[in-house]
């Protein structure tokens, strides 16, 4: 009888937890999306949330890029990083040494 009671309680807890996840997971995902939208908005886009539980729309206006273009004089190029030049690896005949020509005698 105790085993049957344990099984019933286990199933009840499982279904309650499953129901709560179905209820709370969309709310958590909505909050995560809002957080991402707010972060994207701070980086230079336009954000509009429609309604309380509505959809979200992200629209990039390009304001951040336009400001960067205006700060540099036209015709000037600024390079932030130049990768070091790699020396080509010597392979094959270049590293094998000298070769001696020969004729095959039959």
């Amino acid at each position: 009888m105790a085993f049957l009671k344990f099984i019933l309680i286990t199933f009840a807890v499982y279904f309650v937890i499953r129901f709560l996840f179905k209820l709370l997971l969309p709310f958590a995902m909505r909050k995560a999306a809002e957080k991402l939208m707010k972060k994207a908005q701070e980086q230079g886009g336009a954000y509009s949330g429609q309604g309380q539980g509505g959809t979200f729309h992200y629209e990039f206006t390009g304001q951040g890029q336009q400001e960067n273009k205006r700060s540099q004089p036209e015709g000037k190029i600024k390079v932030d990083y130049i990768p070091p030049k790699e020396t080509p690896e010597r392979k094959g005949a270049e590293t094998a040494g000298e070769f001696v020509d020969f004729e095959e005698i039959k």
Side-chain angles (χ1 to χ4, degrees), residues 10-80:
T10 304
F11 276 123
V13 168
Y14 170 74
F15 283 112
V16 167
I17 290 174
R18 188 171 149 195
F19 175 74
L20 288 175
F21 268 113
K22 282 185 180 181
L23 191 65
L24 297 176
L25 196 60
F27 177 74
M29 294 299 285
R30 190 176 304 122
K31 286 295 182 185
E34 286 176 3
K35 194 174 189 181
L36 285 173
M37 292 294 174
K38 196 167 276 206
K39 186 176 181 180
Q41 181 184 13
E42 291 173 359
Q43 291 179 356
Y47 161 77
S48 64
Q50 300 171 356
Q52 192 132 4
T55 60
F56 299 101
H57 176 69
Y58 178 73
E59 190 177 298
F60 183 72
T61 59
Q63 293 171 352
Q65 290 181 351
Q66 290 174 358
E67 291 172 2
N68 288 340
K69 288 182 180 178
R70 291 182 191 146
S71 65
Q72 292 181 351
E74 192 171 325
K76 298 286 182 178
I77 298 174
K78 180 181 176 185
V79 179
D80 292 332

Side-chain angles (χ1 to χ4, degrees), residues 84-100:
K85 292 187 177 185
E86 297 178 12
T87 57
E89 295 181 18
R90 296 179 59 179
K91 295 182 180 179
E94 296 176 357
T95 59
E98 294 184 28
F99 289 94
V100 178

